[in-house]
Amino acid sequence: MLGAYNQSGPQLSAHEIGERVGSSGVADHSAADAGAMRLQPYRDDSTQLSTLRTMRRTFEQWFPALFLRFLAHRLERVFPALARRLYVHRMRLRVRNGPEMLVRVCDLEGPMHVFGLSEYDFNVVDWNRVHTVIDAGAHVGSFSLWAGLRAHCQIYALEPNPEVFRMLVENLDRAGISPRVVVRSAALAGSSRVATLSSPTRASHGASIVSDKGGAEIAVQTMTLVEAIADAGYESVDFLKLDIEGAEAAVLADCEPALGNVAAILLEVHEFDPDRRQAPEVLRLLERCGFAYAVTHVTPLPWLPEANGAAAHFPGRSSVWVEAVSAWRRSRS
């Protein structure tokens, strides 16, 4: 998940959107429309004050959740065992005029970014016409809930962390959309295998099978995107969400022939290795598959371990970041 900014362009009217939307629910935009894609400006949550504001306007029980998160951060160095206990403390978090979710303190980033920062609120997608969705990196279910309550769609959700997976299932049941959601405890990868999931203590949404994030190491099953689409039984995918913490290039390369049946993609390209960037390869692949795309925001990750190489040339700058990429098919045959 992200916490950053973007520059918002002119907004499209409802009439203009309707004229461009086909049966798949994806508008036929040109590259010039990239600035008009986001319905709401992506707000910055990179400071404690802006995080407080986002939490307060988004959730009813915002204060206890934010206080425990702040306290856990403060105690990490002096009382690490107590901090770990606080991070896994469970609570109910209700979105204002929205669903209630079971989360832990270390899970707060996901719901905050989806419901508070409107990460997926794009006018390139008419959710009334979206029928099939894949949610890879479903976490506690924030996006699946957001999409499932917005559109009467079928959702295929993947989450590899067993503890987070249990909360995902409970949250979908509580919201009443579980009959429309197939859930799998697996991670997307370029091949099917057993992999090690590295799950950071303070932020569970950053768990990765390709980068050592510290914290717990969990053996998880992986599957390819081709296998996921087949398991879901989808002939086509109206919306593909990829938040898979560094595995995106391998996943897309493996399923490139199948991307012709995908209408829109929102993915995060995680640049954890300064000496091997993924974004150029990912963007070229999207172009080959007939997608227009926009990089909507870039978020530096200065708190992650930074490798030598590219980092050494830019002292004081983060060489690790994540790019949010929105891709939509120029036309549907």
Side-chain angles (χ1 to χ4, degrees), residues 280-293 330:
E281 177 184 348
V282 168
L283 298 180
R284 285 194 295 267
L285 183 149
L286 292 174
E287 287 185 340
R288 288 198 303 271
C289 293
F291 289 95
Y293 64 82
R330 293 187 179 91

Side-chain angles (χ1 to χ4, degrees), residues 2 6-8 11-12 17 21 25-27 29 33-42 113-114 117-128 130 143 146 150 239 241 264-268 294-297 324-328:
L2 301 177
N6 84 305
Q7 295 178 345
S8 299
Q11 301 295 296
L12 296 178
I17 297 170
V21 174
V26 179
H29 286 269
D33 296 319
M37 287 176 57
R38 193 176 291 282
L39 292 178
Q40 300 181 32
Y42 195 86
H113 292 161
V114 173
L117 300 179
S118 304
E119 275 193 340
Y120 300 98
D121 208 0
F122 290 93
N123 62 27
V124 72
V125 175
D126 178 359
W127 286 95
N128 292 321
V130 168
F143 172 72
W146 187 90
R150 173 167 293 220
F239 191 91
K241 171 241 179 183
I265 307 173
L266 196 146
L267 72 150
E268 295 178 358
V295 177
T296 58
H297 45 282
V325 179
S326 301
W328 61 99

Side-chain angles (χ1 to χ4, degrees), residues 183-226:
V183 291
R184 294 286 184 264
S185 184
L188 278 193
S191 61
S192 298
R193 66 185 193 279
V194 175
T196 298
L197 181 73
S198 177
S199 181
T201 303
R202 61 157 53 188
S204 64
H205 71 285
S208 174
I209 61 171
V210 300
S211 176
D212 183 3
K213 299 292 192 70
E217 292 190 350
I218 307 165
V220 299
Q221 181 63 48
T222 71
M223 63 192 308
T224 68
L225 183 54
V226 171

